[in-house]
Amino acid sequence: KRYAVKLTGEAIYQIVDPVTRKVVEEQTVAASASATFLRASYEGDYTVLDLDRVERALFDKENWLEAEEKLQAELVDELAERIAASVFDRILRHVR
């Protein structure tokens, strides 16, 4: 089975003036990550099938989880990068 997965994330942050405690900026940042997964399923015991290493890996649930976690990490990295750039840009507006 081949299927595509797209994850999206959104973060809202606020920049607060430390003296007045008022929100001086609020911004929403979004990011997404996508990947195509290839997985195999078999009604019986797949270990009795004559499979090469690559084909056998398609049944490995640990690999499935690792691939999903990697995609989640890509999303978080992209979101963090966008937040950092946006915060830096907006804070510079308030530096005198």
Side-chain angles (χ1 to χ4, degrees):
K1 298 177 183 179
R2 180 184 305 268
Y3 61 97
V5 174
K6 182 176 182 181
L7 301 177
T8 58
E10 184 176 274
I12 301 171
Y13 69 85
Q14 297 177 334
I15 299 174
V16 178
D17 183 314
V19 176
T20 64
R21 298 197 183 267
K22 289 186 180 181
V23 175
V24 293
E25 293 275 347
E26 181 173 295
Q27 185 68 28
T28 301
V29 178
S32 63
S34 60
T36 301
F37 293 101
L38 186 60
R39 296 185 176 162
S41 63
Y42 179 66
E43 292 297 321
D45 181 5
Y46 77 90
T47 61
V48 299
L49 298 175
D50 184 22
L51 303 173
D52 63 27
R53 187 170 48 87
V54 174
E55 293 168 331
R56 190 169 298 279
L58 297 175
F59 289 94
D60 188 350
K61 292 183 181 180
E62 284 186 29
N63 283 344
W64 298 357
L65 293 173
E66 287 175 18
E68 290 171 2
E69 289 171 356
K70 181 180 175 188
L71 183 59
Q72 291 170 5
E74 287 177 24
L75 173 63
V76 169
D77 289 347
E78 180 66 25
L79 196 55
E81 186 177 311
R82 290 183 185 205
I83 290 170
S86 182
V87 167
F88 183 76
D89 191 40
R90 289 190 174 4
I91 288 204
L92 284 181
R93 294 178 190 174
H94 298 282
V95 174
R96 292 182 181 91

